Amino acid sequence: MKKSLLVLSAILLAACNQGETNQQTHKNSTQQTEMSSEKETTVSDATTTPSNHKKHQKEVKDGITYVDNILIVNKDIALPESYAPGEIQEARQAIDQLIQQGNAQGLNLVLRSGFRSYETQTELYNNYVARDGQSKADTYSARPGHSEHQTGLAFDLGNTAGTDDFKVSFENTAEGKWIKENAQDYGFIIRYPKGKTDITGYQYEPWHLRYLGKEIAQKVKSSGLTLEEYLDLK
């Protein structure tokens, strides 16, 4: 009888040990599967989110908006009425250099417009609205507070003949063609480029230049994008 009990106990003990072994094997297998799945998920996430994707830094200081330290004003982003820096010296020196270098090559570039205050822009805009209606005026003139000229970083150029000043046909003049090819080398971009009215909100203005500094201007020009697109604002 004792012998039978001993045999039975041995059988039960072996069965328990085998069960524990099976459970441990299953647990290890499950952990390996979870680790493998987690590894695959990590690889997948890295693939769908490129490591070189740049996140732009937007900041508003005293009512003035900067993206990657670039001052931004457009149809949606305004400047405070009190903001009146005048012409930014660095930008004015750059536009003077552009004009001098262009004219040294036989062109006849002249500066037509630089800094404009909020009050001056208000007067201009209201005059355009009275003449052409608000809808039309909004395609070529900025509402008060939304003009790049208020930043002191924007300039309108023309030529001494003046027949194509502030007209799309300026792009076909020797001056317009030279500006299109060389403005970025002096730190400027054509702010409202051709075929981008749906992005900028303004008609093509081959005469309107915005100062960004040489490095950024060259990058924006090479990208073929508007400033809004380049900074992921549109």
Side-chain angles (χ1 to χ4, degrees):
M1 181 66 177
K2 288 182 179 181
K3 184 176 181 180
S4 297
L5 289 173
L6 288 173
V7 171
L8 180 59
S9 296
I11 292 172
L12 290 173
L13 180 60
C16 288
N17 288 340
Q18 182 63 39
E20 289 177 359
T21 299
N22 289 340
Q23 289 177 357
Q24 185 63 39
T25 300
H26 176 71
K27 182 179 180 181
N28 290 341
S29 176
T30 300
Q31 288 176 340
Q32 289 175 356
T33 301
E34 290 175 349
M35 289 174 64
S36 175
S37 176
E38 183 177 345
K39 184 176 180 181
E40 289 175 0
T41 301
T42 302
V43 171
S44 175
D45 290 345
T47 301
T48 56
T49 308
S51 59
N52 62 350
H53 179 70
K54 182 179 179 182
K55 292 183 179 179
H56 298 283
Q57 299 298 317
K58 184 177 180 181
E59 186 176 12
V60 179
K61 298 178 183 177
D62 300 322
I64 304 164
T65 301
Y66 300 86
V67 179
D68 296 346
N69 294 318
I70 298 171
L71 192 158
I72 296 295
V73 57
N74 56 25
K75 291 275 190 179
D76 304 313
I77 300 173
L79 291 169
E81 182 176 347
S82 59
Y83 187 71
E87 287 180 343
I88 304 302
Q89 185 177 9
E90 181 182 343
R92 180 55 194 253
Q93 289 175 345
I95 201 68
D96 286 344
Q97 185 182 23
L98 180 153
I99 291 171
Q100 290 167 7
Q101 291 294 319
N103 290 347
Q105 298 178 41
L107 300 176
N108 294 291
L109 286 163
V110 291
L111 179 62
R112 293 302 187 196
S113 181
F115 169 76
R116 290 203 295 265
S117 68
Y118 183 97
E119 291 74 21
T120 298
Q121 187 64 32
T122 299
E123 184 178 353
L124 283 173
Y125 178 75
N126 288 341
N127 287 340
Y128 292 138
V129 169
R131 185 187 71 185
D132 297 328
Q134 189 171 58
S135 261
K136 180 66 175 177
D138 283 340
T139 65
Y140 63 83
S141 180
R143 296 186 180 192
H146 293 267
S147 172
E148 281 210 324
H149 287 281
Q150 192 182 339
T151 68
L153 296 166
F155 302 90
D156 294 331
L157 297 183
N159 60 23
T160 52
T163 54
D164 296 289
D165 287 358
F166 302 105
K167 299 177 182 178
V168 173
S169 58
F170 181 70
E171 72 169 335
N172 299 318
T173 65
E175 290 76 19
K177 292 176 182 177
W178 187 85
I179 287 171
K180 184 177 181 180
E181 293 300 319
N182 298 281
Q184 71 279 355
D185 296 332
Y186 298 87
F188 293 92
I189 60 169
I190 293 177
R191 182 65 175 88
Y192 308 123
K194 196 171 191 176
K196 296 287 188 173
T197 299
D198 59 324
I199 301 295
T200 66
Y202 296 105
Q203 66 177 23
Y204 174 36
E205 294 190 358
W207 63 86
H208 179 103
L209 301 183
R210 162 66 194 270
Y211 184 73
L212 297 173
K214 291 182 181 179
E215 182 181 356
I216 300 300
Q218 288 168 348
K219 288 180 179 179
V220 174
K221 172 66 183 295
S222 296
S223 74
L225 303 172
T226 63
L227 189 57
E228 280 80 10
E229 292 171 304
Y230 182 81
L231 295 175
D232 288 336
L233 292 172
K234 292 282 186 172

